[in-house]
C-alpha cells in the first residue's frame, strides 16, 4: 500500500468520514449451525465470524480449574484475509490478540458457575482492514450472549487514533499503517469499565483523554448495534 500524501483533507478522511465517525457496522447473531452461539460482524471492510462452544467439560483435563470455567479464545486470520497472503496457523500477533481478547471478555462472565468447564471462543477473520481485534471482540460478545452464557453485560470495542494531528475514531488500514497512533479499547458499556487498552504510537495526556472519551462514544454506538442483533434473533415474531 502506498503512503497517501495526506490522511485528512478538508477535515474529511480518505473514505469521506468525519474524524468521530464509525465505519458502517453490521452485526448478525446466530449465523453458524454447529456452534452453541455465533455472530458475524462487518466493520467497514473487516469481515469476522465468532463461534462459541460450551460451557462444556474441559479437555485436556489437567487444564481444568476446580472452582471455575476457563475462557479459551483463539483469534485466527484466514490466509486470504490480507493483502499479502498470511501464513496459516498461530503466530506471535494472533497469540497476543487471543490473549487480550480473553482478558477483554472475562470480566463480564460468571465463570465460577461452571467448575472444570471450558468456554471456547473462536474468532475467524475472513477480511482484514485494521481493527480486526475490536471487530472480533464485538462479535465474540454477541456470540457468547447468543450461546446463552450468563453475562453481566456485553463488551464493546473500537480503536481510536491520531492522523495528521487529529484524534479519530475507528481507524481503517491506511490510517492504522500511516497514522501516528492506534489505540484499541474495549469497555463494559453499562459500568463504563475498560477491559482492553493497547497503544501503538503516542498521545499527550490531553489527547489521551480526548481519545478515550471518543472511544467510549464509539462503543456506545456499537453496543446499540450489538443489542439490536440479539433482539433481531430472539424477537418473538407475530404469529409464532
Ligand atoms: O487488526 P488490528 O488493527 O486489531 O491489528 P493490527 O496488528 O494493528 O493490524 C492492523 C491491520 O494490518 C490488520 O487489520 C490487517 O489489515 C493488517 N495486517 C496485514 O495486512 N497482515 C498481517 N499479517 C497482519 C495484519
Amino acid at each position: 500500500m502506498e503512503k497517501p500524501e495526506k490522511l485528512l483533507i478538508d477535515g474529511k478522511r480518505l473514505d469521506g468520514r468525519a474524524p468521530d465517525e464509525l465505519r458502517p457496522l453490521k452485526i448478525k447473531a446466530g449465523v453458524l449451525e454447529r456452534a452453541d452461539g455465533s455472530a458475524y460482524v462487518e466493520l467497514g471492510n473487516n469481515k469476522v465470524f465468532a463461534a462459541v462452544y460450551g460451557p462444556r467439560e474441559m479437555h485436556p483435563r489437567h487444564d481444568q480449574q476446580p472452582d471455575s470455567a476457563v475462557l479459551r479464545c483463539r483469534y485466527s486470520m484466514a490466509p486470504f484475509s490480507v493483502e499479502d497472503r498470511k501464513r496459516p496457523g498461530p503466530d506471535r500477533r494472533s497469540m497476543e490478540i487471543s490473549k487480550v481478547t480473553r482478558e477483554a471478555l472475562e470480566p463480564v462472565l460468571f465463570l465460577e458457575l461452571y467448575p472444570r468447564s471450558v468456554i471456547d471462543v473462536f474468532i475467524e477473520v475472513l477480511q482484514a482492514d485494521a481493527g480486526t481485534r475490536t471487530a472480533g471482540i464485538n462479535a465474540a460478545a454477541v456470540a457468547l450472549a447468543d450461546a446463552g452464557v450468563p453475562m453481566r453485560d456485553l463488551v464493546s470495542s473500537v480503536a481510536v487514533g491520531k492522523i495528521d494531528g487529529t484524534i479519530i475514531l475507528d481507524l481503517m488500514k491506511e490510517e492504522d499503517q500511516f497514522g501516528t497512533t492506534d489505540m484499541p479499547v474495549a469497555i463494559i458499556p453499562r459500568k463504563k469499565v475498560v477491559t482492553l487498552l493497547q497503544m501503538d504510537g503516542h498521545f499527550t495526556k490531553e489527547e489521551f483523554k480526548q481519545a478515550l472519551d471518543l472511544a467510549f462514544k464509539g462503543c456506545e454506538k456499537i453496543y446499540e448495534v450489538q443489542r439490536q442483533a440479539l433482539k433481531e434473533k430472539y424477537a418473538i415474531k407475530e404469529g409464532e
Side-chain angles (χ1 to χ4, degrees), residues 46 75 77 81-86 91 93 97 128-134 159 173 176 182 184 200:
N46 293 298
Y75 165 101
M77 258 181 161
S81 65
V82 288
E83 219 169 60
D84 303 318
R85 177 180 181 275
K86 147 101 179 55
D91 50 32
R93 177 178 171 277
I97 297 179
D129 193 60
T132 59
R133 79 193 61 202
T134 68
K173 186 75 179 71
D176 178 290
D182 173 23
D200 188 3

Side-chain angles (χ1 to χ4, degrees), residues 39-42 46-50 123-127 132 135-136 139:
Y40 174 63
V41 168
E42 276 183 22
N46 293 298
K47 297 188 176 179
V48 178
F49 275 98
I123 294 168
E124 297 288 333
V125 178
L126 300 189
Q127 193 169 287
T132 59

